[in-house]
Amino acid sequence: MNIAVYLGSSMGDDPKYSELTQSIGQWICKHQNTLVYGAGSKGQMGLLADTVYQGKGRIIGVMPRFLLKIEKLYAHLDEEYMVDTMSQRKQKMIDLAQGFIALPGGPGTLEEITEIISLVRLDQLPYPCVLYNLDGYYDTLKQQLDVMIQEGFLDEEGIKNVHFVTSLEELDALFGY
């Protein structure tokens, strides 16, 4: 199964983020999934790719050409797709994946996973949308979704396939392992 993972191109300030990233990379390899990600070599993105590579897993990267001016393409991709825009990157990753996981990250991570939430809500994606809620990182997003439900802008049925998890065991259950 191809799993799209959204996460930061920075490392973050706490080693717990790197530990989680490595755990997800090992989880991908353990279940013989393929990583689909943004093809970067730095920050948490690079760490995830390194972990999957070291675990002998498959890696698919999708990189907008303009980012090559500020970011190096990961050296050990099994497949690479070069696109022109961030929108094309997001769409290509969606097209390639059968599951979506957001780890803690910045604005790009948030943008990517909220698009997945919207597509799940519109029944355009039948796959799990998972936010790994390490130490409450995504609590405020979950609260915002709850406010949208309370105020009548969203119904619970629309986000039944959006999951906030805190363990690899929960990931196993969602992906049928």
Side-chain angles (χ1 to χ4, degrees):
M1 178 183 316
N2 291 353
I3 306 290
V5 180
Y6 304 108
L7 70 171
S9 60
S10 300
M11 290 304 288
D13 290 336
D14 193 313
K16 68 184 177 187
Y17 300 120
S18 295
E19 292 167 14
L20 173 61
T21 295
Q22 290 173 313
S23 293
I24 294 298
Q26 293 162 357
W27 178 87
I28 286 170
C29 292
K30 174 183 174 183
H31 297 295
Q32 299 179 334
N33 292 317
T34 296
L35 170 64
V36 177
Y37 86 117
S41 60
K42 65 180 188 172
Q44 295 296 332
M45 291 175 65
L47 179 61
L48 179 61
D50 281 341
T51 303
V52 173
Y53 177 73
Q54 290 164 5
K56 307 218 181 309
R58 285 189 40 79
I59 306 169
I60 299 173
V62 183
M63 174 74 80
R65 286 177 186 86
F66 76 89
L67 276 183
L68 291 173
K69 294 175 186 168
I70 57 173
E71 173 136 13
K72 290 175 81 174
L73 189 69
Y74 188 69
H76 304 290
L77 297 173
D78 293 290
E79 292 179 46
E80 70 180 62
Y81 295 91
M82 299 303 294
V83 296
D84 292 322
T85 67
M86 294 298 282
S87 294
Q88 289 171 341
R89 176 200 238 179
K90 288 188 298 181
Q91 187 60 55
K92 186 65 174 177
M93 289 177 66
I94 290 167
D95 292 344
L96 291 167
Q98 294 89 40
F100 304 88
I101 300 172
L103 302 183
T109 302
L110 183 60
E111 176 198 3
E112 290 164 326
I113 201 62
T114 53
E115 181 167 346
I116 300 302
I117 291 169
S118 292
L119 291 170
V120 165
R121 178 178 174 259
L122 296 170
D123 288 327
Q124 297 300 296
L125 290 176
Y127 309 118
C129 171
V130 179
L131 295 97
Y132 204 106
N133 196 22
L134 180 66
D135 292 340
Y137 190 86
Y138 284 114
D139 280 353
T140 53
L141 178 56
K142 187 173 185 332
Q143 291 167 356
Q144 185 60 53
L145 292 173
D146 289 340
V147 168
M148 291 174 183
I149 291 168
Q150 291 167 5
E151 297 298 325
F153 291 105
L154 178 63
D155 60 38
E156 288 183 37
E157 182 66 19
I159 57 168
K160 69 178 185 281
N161 212 14
V162 175
H163 309 276
F164 291 80
V165 304
T166 57
S167 71
L168 294 177
E169 292 77 21
E170 289 174 278
L171 273 184
D172 283 348
L174 287 171
F175 286 95
Y177 301 120

